[in-house]
Amino acid sequence: MLRIDRIAAVALLAWLPFSVFPAEKITELKVYTAKKILTMEPTQPEATAVAISNGRIVSVGSPESLESWTSRFPTTVDETFKDKVLLPGFIDPHLHPTLPAILTLYPFIAPEDWSLPAGEFPAARSNAEYLEALKREVARYPESPYYEEGIPFITWGYPQLFHGDVFQDELDELFPETPVMLWHRSFHELILNTAAVELVGITEEETRPYGVDIEWDKGRFTEFGAKTLLVPRLVPLILTAERYATGMENFVRMMHLGGVTSGMDMGIGTLGNPEDEVEAIRAAVNAAETPARIVLTPQITDFMIREKSPEEALAEVKRWEERWSTGRVRLDGHFKIFMDGAAFSGLGQMGFPGYMDGHDGIWMLPLERTYAFAKTFWNAGYQIHAHTNGDLSAGMLMEFVRRLQAQHLRVDHRTVLEHFMYAKEDQLAQMADLGMAVSANPYYQYILADIYAEQWLGEDRARNMVPLGAAVRAGVRTALHSDAPMAPLSPLTLVWTAVNRKSIGGTENNAAERLTLDQALRGVTIDAAWMMRQEDELGSIRAGKIADFTVLDADPYEVAPAAIKDIEIWGTVFEGVAYPIER
């Protein structure tokens, strides 16, 4: 007889996932009927009824097929969705709660229209349109419900690609007294007028150690310089506890409006103390009326800014896991590194022939330092997520994985290339062989391909941005994310961009890289769950899984591809409870 000593048995039980333990006993059932249920399960793709108990799915099928269950237990039948279509609760596997929490308190001025809690903001696609919108929004900001004396005016959404160079001298001329900050669309860059620089209290001498990250004469703060010098002084000014709470409420509402029931915060510690950030997220998401859950991902830059070694970072993350291991907001074995720069800034690392204007991308951090963090967390069993945009960077990430495997072999490691602005087909075949996955922002090709084709990459590479078709053909598991607020927090919009592959100017971006509707919907349901290692709990409508659904007014398979993003979302079902959207 096989004998396991008591200590080993306890250790084994601690390792096993929650799903292997017996669920609560079924005492009663709730059955939702619907016009159609799209399960995202190939063995049973459609149904018209689903039975739920204790927040989990008991059975899926038709009212008749469920009778073997409903005849045994007291059952309530809810026909609220008799004219609706149910899908698995949408999942966004890469978003940033704190960024919308801050930015939705201010006006957006971007190349496309935005509808936000702070108002309706029309597109500005040229330098002249941007400056006109900027003057208008600065003038009316004191009327905003979010306005407070002593807080600078901030607007998000500016990329030079559309709006041209707008630096400190021009901002000073337009706004000599009002502190004004332009937060770049990439989120990796801020431009301040003199009044704003004086408000945050930064001197020229303090900026000198940061080299090219800070251009003092332009009021331009980028990458590590912005995160290390500017952001720690800016955040206390703009983010009091009350404003943070209001912003987080805005973010949670944005999730619900998009039909999102689960998301992954891809980088806690973005704007300061990670513990304060997590507590703010938990306060908003753990509210009784909130139909959402968030998985938290610690990130390398937080520890680099605080001058922590990889070993110290790992020890701190393990302490966080002890503190935040349960509830709707928790850590769950993920870690994020950064490879190259942002797509909206044109700083992805591109292989030959590079950028047409001769500029180069950047590495966000020294590569060997990045690898040291990746190695420490890889060896401790964490799933690595890597912010990666250019094909040169994709190649370097693959080399990281080869090195990591050589020194510590792991199966099912699921290293995820995040963003996926550009990669080559041969690289995708290698990624598949290496067991890597892709979490892509399909919005890049929609909003950036025209400008990249004209100014930076040429027609061939620009029209192949975010090559989702190639990834699927190579056998690389692929999900879709918003990187909110880089794209709208709307999975239907992401599906629409991936299926249609049309640019903001209406140009086709290589039809060979389109996803089918089924592939795209998998990218915001079951494949997104896989990126989070939650595919056994979320992402499809199947017996045993958590009862999370997104409720639509129309079947995505029955509308024209161009109309997918306009399907009305009724609301969500979260752990078996219906949450209609309050209009």
Side-chain angles (χ1 to χ4, degrees):
M1 180 176 176
L2 181 65
R3 182 176 180 275
I4 303 177
D5 65 49
R6 182 174 180 275
I7 294 176
V10 170
L12 178 63
L13 289 173
W15 172 83
L16 290 172
F18 289 123
S19 58
V20 304
F21 293 101
E24 295 180 53
K25 294 293 184 183
I26 296 172
T27 57
E28 58 182 358
L29 296 172
K30 183 167 190 175
V31 172
Y32 285 113
T33 59
K35 178 181 179 181
K36 185 181 288 186
I37 299 173
L38 302 173
T39 68
M40 304 313 295
E41 285 281 331
T43 55
Q44 187 185 15
E46 294 184 8
T48 56
V50 55
I52 297 166
S53 178
N54 302 315
R56 287 188 176 269
I57 298 167
V58 173
S59 187
V60 185
S62 66
E64 294 75 22
S65 74
L66 267 53
E67 286 181 359
S68 56
W69 282 98
T70 58
S71 63
R72 294 170 182 264
F73 298 98
T75 300
T76 301
V77 177
D78 190 324
E79 295 185 335
T80 301
F81 309 131
K82 64 181 180 180
D83 297 321
K84 307 295 182 186
V85 176
L86 304 187
L87 280 86
F90 288 155
I91 299 169
D92 193 322
H94 186 134
L95 42 71
H96 296 278
T98 293
L99 308 192
I102 294 173
L103 297 174
T104 55
L105 304 176
Y106 298 94
F108 279 26
I109 308 175
E112 77 274 46
D113 297 337
W114 281 81
S115 178
L116 297 164
E120 302 294 322
F121 302 104
R125 294 189 188 173
S126 68
N127 178 262
E129 289 180 359
Y130 184 82
L131 294 177
E132 281 303 309
L134 182 61
K135 288 185 285 187
R136 180 180 67 246
E137 296 298 342
V138 171
R140 72 181 187 181
Y141 182 59
E143 303 168 8
S144 165
Y146 303 123
Y147 172 80
E148 289 185 32
E149 189 71 32
I151 292 179
F153 171 87
I154 297 173
T155 181
W156 177 84
Y158 161 77
Q160 291 94 332
L161 279 170
F162 285 90
H163 299 144
D165 289 338
V166 182
F167 293 127
Q168 188 176 87
D169 56 352
E170 189 164 14
L171 293 177
D172 285 347
E173 185 177 339
L174 292 172
F175 314 108
E177 305 294 334
T178 305
V180 172
M181 300 184 184
L182 313 184
W183 213 315
H184 197 276
R185 179 62 175 262
S186 68
F187 207 78
H188 291 219
E189 175 179 340
L190 293 97
I191 298 166
L192 284 64
N193 70 352
T194 299
V197 172
E198 291 173 351
L199 181 65
V200 296
I202 292 176
T203 65
E204 182 178 5
E205 185 175 352
E206 290 176 291
T207 68
R208 287 174 184 156
Y210 294 95
V212 296
D213 280 4
I214 299 176
E215 296 178 88
W216 175 255
D217 292 340
K218 295 181 177 179
R220 184 169 180 257
F221 294 74
T222 67
E223 303 298 354
F224 200 68
K227 291 181 180 180
T228 306
L229 183 62
L230 174 58
V231 168
R233 301 190 191 191
L234 176 60
V235 169
L237 274 177
I238 66 174
L239 211 59
T240 62
E242 184 177 351
R243 288 174 69 84
Y244 207 171
T246 300
M248 278 297 173
E249 290 170 6
N250 287 344
F251 165 74
V252 169
R253 176 162 172 77
M254 289 168 66
M255 285 186 71
H256 194 208
L257 288 170
V260 177
T261 55
S262 298
M264 179 175 274
D265 181 349
M266 196 50 67
I268 58 173
T270 299
L271 294 176
N273 188 333
E275 300 196 19
D276 291 345
E277 182 177 352
V278 172
E279 291 302 336
I281 296 170
R282 285 169 63 88
V285 175
N286 285 335
E289 69 278 8
T290 301
R293 67 179 63 79
I294 300 287
V295 173
L296 303 168
T297 309
Q299 62 170 334
I300 184 174
T301 51
D302 165 48
F303 298 108
M304 292 282 286
I305 289 169
R306 293 192 286 129
E307 299 182 344
K308 301 284 187 179
S309 70
E311 295 73 24
E312 290 171 329
L314 177 62
E316 189 164 351
V317 169
K318 288 188 176 296
R319 289 195 296 272
W320 292 345
E321 287 174 336
E322 292 176 3
R323 181 175 176 183
W324 299 314
S325 61
T326 60
R328 295 182 180 179
V329 179
R330 68 181 191 274
L331 273 71
D332 202 18
H334 303 267
F335 187 74
K336 182 185 180 184
I337 61 174
F338 286 84
M339 302 300 288
D340 55 351
F344 277 99
S345 299
L347 294 178
Q349 286 282 17
M350 299 298 298
F352 184 83
Y355 291 95
M356 292 190 301
D357 65 355
H359 85 269
D360 294 318
I362 64 167
W363 299 112
M364 292 279 281
L365 298 165
L367 288 174
E368 282 305 313
R369 189 67 172 151
T370 303
Y371 177 78
F373 273 86
K375 177 180 176 181
T376 297
F377 280 86
W378 171 283
N379 290 348
Y382 285 75
Q383 183 178 353
I384 305 298
H385 300 256
H387 167 116
T388 310
N389 277 307
D391 59 315
L392 188 64
S393 181
M396 184 58 68
L397 179 61
M398 288 189 289
E399 185 59 29
F400 274 22
V401 173
R402 292 186 185 100
R403 289 174 62 185
L404 291 168
Q405 286 283 46
Q407 58 87 41
H408 181 82
L409 184 64
R410 286 179 55 186
V411 297
D412 196 27
H413 57 85
R414 304 192 190 185
T415 300
V416 182
L417 190 157
E418 302 279 348
H419 299 323
F420 193 54
M421 183 187 80
Y422 184 74
K424 297 176 290 192
E425 292 220 26
D426 55 290
Q427 291 180 315
L428 291 162
Q430 294 174 56
M431 287 182 208
D433 290 341
L434 288 166
M436 296 171 64
V438 162
S439 178
N441 185 342
Y443 205 72
Y444 281 169
Q445 55 84 29
Y446 166 71
I447 198 166
L448 293 176
D450 290 345
I451 296 284
Y452 262 69
E454 177 186 341
Q455 298 187 26
W456 281 348
L457 295 185
E459 283 287 331
D460 52 352
R461 287 181 296 163
R463 299 302 172 196
N464 281 332
M465 288 177 76
V466 197
L468 295 168
V472 172
R473 289 191 296 273
V476 176
R477 186 78 68 121
T478 302
L480 307 179
H481 70 247
S482 69
D483 192 19
M486 300 306 120
L489 213 173
S490 166
L492 285 178
T493 298
L494 302 178
V495 169
W496 170 77
T497 59
V499 168
N500 290 280
R501 280 196 69 90
K502 293 287 182 69
S503 73
I504 193 170
T507 303
E508 185 175 281
N509 290 326
N510 192 353
E513 300 300 357
R514 289 176 182 163
L515 293 184
T516 67
L517 178 57
D518 192 66
Q519 290 166 345
L521 286 173
R522 287 183 61 88
V524 296
T525 56
I526 187 61
D527 288 340
W530 189 90
M531 299 292 157
M532 298 168 60
R533 290 189 179 272
Q534 293 290 312
E535 71 271 21
D536 60 334
E537 298 274 36
L538 305 171
S540 67
I541 300 176
R542 185 190 73 197
K545 289 196 174 187
I546 295 172
D548 286 358
F549 315 132
T550 299
V551 185
L552 305 181
D553 278 350
D555 182 349
Y557 292 91
E558 295 181 1
V559 304
I564 292 169
K565 68 179 177 62
D566 300 317
I567 295 173
E568 195 77 19
I569 297 174
W570 177 91
T572 59
V573 174
F574 185 80
E575 297 180 356
V577 179
Y579 291 84
I581 291 171
E582 297 180 7
R583 305 294 177 181

